Amino acid sequence: MIQQLINKIQKTEAPIVVGLDPMLDYIPEQIKEKAYKEKGETLAGAAEAIWQFNKGIVDATYDLIPAVKPQIAMYEQFGIEGLIAYKKTIEYCKEKGLVVIGDIKRGDIGSTSAAYAVGHLGKVTVGKNTYKGFDEDFATVNPYLGSDGVKPFIDVCKEEKKGLFILVKTSNPSSGEIQDKLVDGKPLYELIGEMVSEWGREHMGDSYSYIGAVVGATYPEMGKILRKLMPKTYILVPGYGAQGGKAEDLVDYFNKDGLGAIVSSSRGIIAAYKAKNYEKFGPEAYADASRQAVIDMREEINTALVKGGIK
Amino acid sequence: MIQQLINKIQKTEAPIVVGLDPMLDYIPEQIKEKAYKEKGETLAGAAEAIWQFNKGIVDATYDLIPAVKPQIAMYEQFGIEGLIAYKKTIEYCKEKGLVVIGDIKRGDIGSTSAAYAVGHLGKVTVGKNTYKGFDEDFATVNPYLGSDGVKPFIDVCKEEKKGLFILVKTSNPSSGEIQDKLVDGKPLYELIGEMVSEWGREHMGDSYSYIGAVVGATYPEMGKILRKLMPKTYILVPGYGAQGGKAEDLVDYFNKDGLGAIVSSSRGIIAAYKAKNYEKFGPEAYADASRQAVIDMREEINTALVKGGIK
């Protein structure tokens, strides 16, 4: 799956993943009105609105991008109905040929991580049959419990030819409270980066490992160090745009082959029609605004990569 | 909710939480056969088997225990159908007067943690209405992203009078790979313990905070230190029984008031009928075996607490 992701990045010339993190506030009124008319102002109504909103954005952007990253929390907040919309979104994105990165940030003790891995990336056995629960292509994983909490995910990825992005340095303001603490003179995120790199060496695709890392766009100096520390690791880079990450900051997350990083943007793309730059599209054409935002983001990143000598 | 939990612990004289982590392997054949006959060897069939199994255990133990702790991963592995069984289990346990600790180990950047908090502990707004997604009483939280990933959970708990157990030192063998690393000469779990204690001081119930901690039974030396470091923090102690934690090891997790800790056992109770000690019950009476295992665990812990001078 990592090679499939790389192929699609090369084909689209867009090292971009669109974060499908739909807040109800992002969804244009006409979509909410229609959904609530059909299903009421209920969890099912909210889930229908989310699904229709996502579908519009996917239809308008799937030819431009390699991958999407639905954030499961944004669905889970609507309970079962929300999770049905999450699953439906995954299925639809896969039909459209997109690679799906489930932003689930799960992680637990071994037997429990195995259950998460099976439910999101693998197959569960019931009697003589096997079933796929959510069936994302990649998942994000929290490493705080150590290797026995991560290994079950790696095992399932190996079997299913899928992949992971393990949290190394997250994009949020307080990520340093734990992740930056010095351990033997080195920040903890470097230690975790070394662990990820080591797991990656044992689980290689053609040119990159299918065990990737998450490093926030908001910490470019750390991204530069982590890039060197994890040469064969694909880096998922959240925090671009709305969270403050800029295109020129991203250059050091890439390798000299022009690969090695995929940049995530959520609000900046899915709620583009609400931003000054794209307000001319209006809520009816929200998906066209998203398409334009993807084109602009691709341009920004590629320009920065050319300037930075990467492309 | 923390005071309600304490009241129930005092009333039952059982500082015990039963982990409802049903693996299909734990479930007696007669329950699986009936469920598969009704719903096929499908995800719905598995979910029905889990639900009937849980119901049997809850019916046989609810008068003896203060709380249950369903591990969401064990349900999530069966996709949507599994999560419906998770929700049904929560609702039933609450009907029976049990406190429900959702072992969800969520944690993300601020806005995303807020969505998890709303979905599991709070209410989500759809138009003019509000809904509860899963509605656990407590949830476990992973602190790896720092305070801005934890605060949204605390805010919802404050509003809803619910509570958290934040991972400090987990029970699994490799938890030390990250959690034991020395930071300024002190292990990371102590640093997190201090953070939890600080959050707790600002969010007090009557005698204990509603911001608790998770400290594994498998690391009693560390439990002893953390107990002192977090005097007003309730400690959820997993790892008892099957994972290796013993009753005499647990004494130091309690305060001199006989409170301050609640010990979780999952396999040792829900799959008791499969263990040598309880095999006389047989699979048909699996729930009676679970009841006996709860009575024995209560006895073991209370005996250890008396010997340890806590009771």
Side-chain angles (χ1 to χ4, degrees):
Chain A
M1 192 51 75
I2 183 67
Q3 196 52 46
Q4 197 171 318
L5 178 63
I6 292 170
N7 292 346
K8 284 187 69 70
I9 290 171
Q10 288 180 313
K11 198 174 148 207
T12 55
E13 295 187 67
I16 288 175
V17 52
V18 173
L20 295 175
D21 312 354
M23 310 265 250
L24 283 183
D25 284 353
Y26 296 171
I27 302 181
E29 287 305 320
Q30 77 273 9
I31 292 181
K32 282 190 278 196
E33 270 169 29
K34 187 156 180 284
Y36 294 166
K37 206 166 183 180
E38 264 176 52
K39 313 215 164 183
E41 287 182 352
T42 60
L43 293 174
E48 174 67 16
I50 287 173
W51 154 245
Q52 292 297 343
F53 176 69
N54 283 349
K55 185 174 178 301
I57 289 168
V58 171
D59 287 343
T61 59
Y62 77 94
D63 59 319
L64 298 176
I65 56 173
V68 290
K69 180 173 75 63
Q71 165 53 260
I72 197 170
M74 297 304 168
Y75 304 81
E76 204 166 313
Q77 68 179 325
F78 298 103
I80 302 295
E81 297 291 345
L83 287 160
I84 291 172
Y86 177 73
K87 189 174 157 73
K88 210 166 164 180
T89 298
I90 292 170
E91 284 168 357
Y92 189 70
C93 291
K94 290 173 87 169
E95 266 172 50
K96 288 290 188 182
L98 293 164
V99 173
V100 177
I101 302 169
D103 199 351
I104 63 173
K105 295 192 180 67
R106 302 300 195 248
D108 208 299
I109 67 168
S111 55
T112 307
S113 275
Y116 281 130
V118 155
H120 286 278
L121 300 168
K123 292 186 284 283
V124 72
T125 301
V126 183
K128 295 177 298 293
N129 305 322
T130 58
Y131 296 93
K132 293 174 177 180
F134 291 99
D135 203 23
E136 299 95 326
D137 298 313
F138 287 82
T140 56
V141 165
N142 185 315
Y144 183 63
L145 282 87
S147 58
D148 64 23
V150 174
K151 287 272 167 69
F153 285 99
I154 296 180
D155 293 344
V156 169
C157 285
K158 189 172 182 174
E159 198 176 310
E160 302 283 340
K161 299 194 187 311
K162 294 192 168 183
L164 302 179
F165 292 100
I166 297 171
L167 305 188
V168 172
K169 172 68 189 173
T170 56
S171 60
N172 56 315
S174 71
S175 69
E177 288 173 9
I178 294 174
Q179 298 163 27
D180 294 2
K181 290 295 174 199
L182 292 183
V183 173
D184 301 328
K186 270 191 309 199
L188 182 62
Y189 60 78
E190 285 191 28
L191 182 91
I192 310 224
E194 284 165 9
M195 290 166 75
V196 170
S197 185
E198 182 62 35
W199 292 325
R201 260 192 292 277
E202 295 160 16
H203 300 91
M204 286 294 294
D206 295 346
S207 55
Y208 281 90
S209 170
Y210 52 89
I211 309 303
V214 174
V215 183
T218 41
Y219 299 102
E221 286 304 315
M222 301 175 188
K224 191 173 179 173
I225 292 165
L226 287 164
R227 172 70 288 163
K228 286 184 183 143
L229 205 66
M230 314 181 294
K232 297 292 180 194
T233 302
Y234 233 86
I235 302 178
L236 172 65
V237 189
Y240 183 81
Q243 282 186 55
K246 291 182 184 60
E248 56 268 33
D249 295 337
L250 294 171
V251 175
D252 293 326
Y253 292 75
F254 287 80
N255 276 322
K256 294 295 168 204
D257 59 4
L259 296 170
I262 181 162
V263 183
S264 172
S265 176
S266 172
R267 209 182 330 163
I269 290 173
I270 69 173
Y273 77 101
K274 292 193 144 205
K276 199 109 204 110
N277 280 358
Y278 303 104
E279 66 182 6
K280 67 171 185 283
F281 286 94
E284 287 288 342
Y286 77 99
D288 297 330
S290 296
R291 184 176 175 88
Q292 191 57 49
V294 166
I295 292 170
D296 294 346
M297 180 177 168
R298 182 179 63 185
E299 178 67 20
E300 281 160 26
I301 291 177
N302 285 328
T303 302
L305 291 180
V306 169
K307 274 195 196 162
I310 296 287
K311 274 205 151 179
Chain B
M1 192 52 75
I2 184 66
Q3 195 51 46
Q4 197 171 319
L5 178 62
I6 292 170
N7 292 346
K8 285 187 70 70
I9 290 172
Q10 289 180 312
K11 198 174 147 205
T12 56
E13 294 187 65
I16 289 176
V17 53
V18 173
L20 294 175
D21 312 354
M23 310 265 250
L24 283 183
D25 284 352
Y26 296 170
I27 302 181
E29 288 306 320
Q30 77 274 7
I31 291 181
K32 281 189 277 195
E33 270 169 30
K34 187 157 181 285
Y36 295 166
K37 207 165 180 178
E38 264 177 51
K39 311 214 165 181
E41 287 183 350
T42 59
L43 294 173
E48 174 66 15
I50 287 173
W51 155 242
Q52 292 297 343
F53 176 69
N54 283 349
K55 185 173 178 301
I57 290 169
V58 171
D59 287 343
T61 59
Y62 76 94
D63 59 319
L64 298 176
I65 56 172
V68 291
K69 179 174 76 62
Q71 167 51 263
I72 197 169
M74 297 304 167
Y75 304 80
E76 202 166 314
Q77 68 179 325
F78 298 104
I80 301 295
E81 297 289 346
L83 287 160
I84 292 171
Y86 177 74
K87 189 173 157 75
K88 210 165 162 182
T89 297
I90 293 169
E91 283 167 357
Y92 189 70
C93 292
K94 290 173 86 167
E95 266 173 51
K96 288 290 189 181
L98 293 164
V99 172
V100 177
I101 302 169
D103 198 352
I104 62 172
K105 294 191 181 68
R106 303 300 195 248
D108 208 298
I109 67 169
S111 54
T112 308
S113 276
Y116 281 130
V118 155
H120 286 278
L121 300 168
K123 292 187 285 282
V124 72
T125 301
V126 183
K128 294 176 298 294
N129 304 322
T130 57
Y131 296 93
K132 293 174 177 180
F134 290 100
D135 202 21
E136 298 95 324
D137 297 314
F138 285 83
T140 57
V141 166
N142 185 317
Y144 183 63
L145 283 88
S147 58
D148 64 24
V150 173
K151 287 271 169 69
F153 285 99
I154 297 179
D155 292 344
V156 170
C157 286
K158 189 170 182 176
E159 199 176 309
E160 302 283 340
K161 300 195 187 310
K162 294 193 167 183
L164 302 179
F165 292 101
I166 297 171
L167 304 187
V168 172
K169 171 68 189 173
T170 57
S171 60
N172 56 315
S174 71
S175 69
E177 288 173 10
I178 294 175
Q179 298 163 25
D180 294 3
K181 291 295 176 201
L182 293 183
V183 174
D184 300 329
K186 268 189 310 193
L188 182 62
Y189 59 77
E190 285 191 27
L191 182 90
I192 311 228
E194 284 165 8
M195 289 166 77
V196 170
S197 184
E198 183 62 34
W199 292 323
R201 260 192 292 276
E202 295 160 15
H203 299 91
M204 286 295 293
D206 294 345
S207 55
Y208 282 89
S209 170
Y210 52 90
I211 308 304
V214 174
V215 183
T218 42
Y219 299 103
E221 287 305 314
M222 301 174 187
K224 191 172 177 173
I225 292 164
L226 287 164
R227 174 69 289 162
K228 287 185 184 144
L229 205 66
M230 313 182 294
K232 297 293 181 193
T233 303
Y234 233 85
I235 303 179
L236 171 66
V237 189
Y240 183 80
Q243 284 185 55
K246 291 182 185 62
E248 56 267 33
D249 295 338
L250 294 172
V251 174
D252 294 327
Y253 292 74
F254 288 80
N255 276 322
K256 294 295 170 203
D257 58 4
L259 297 170
I262 182 164
V263 184
S264 171
S265 176
S266 171
R267 210 183 328 162
I269 290 173
I270 69 172
Y273 77 100
K274 292 193 146 206
K276 202 112 202 105
N277 280 357
Y278 304 104
E279 67 182 6
K280 67 171 189 282
F281 286 95
E284 287 287 344
Y286 77 96
D288 297 330
S290 296
R291 184 176 175 88
Q292 192 56 51
V294 167
I295 292 170
D296 294 346
M297 180 176 167
R298 182 181 62 185
E299 178 67 19
E300 281 160 27
I301 291 178
N302 284 329
T303 302
L305 291 181
V306 169
K307 272 194 197 162
I310 297 289
K311 274 204 150 183

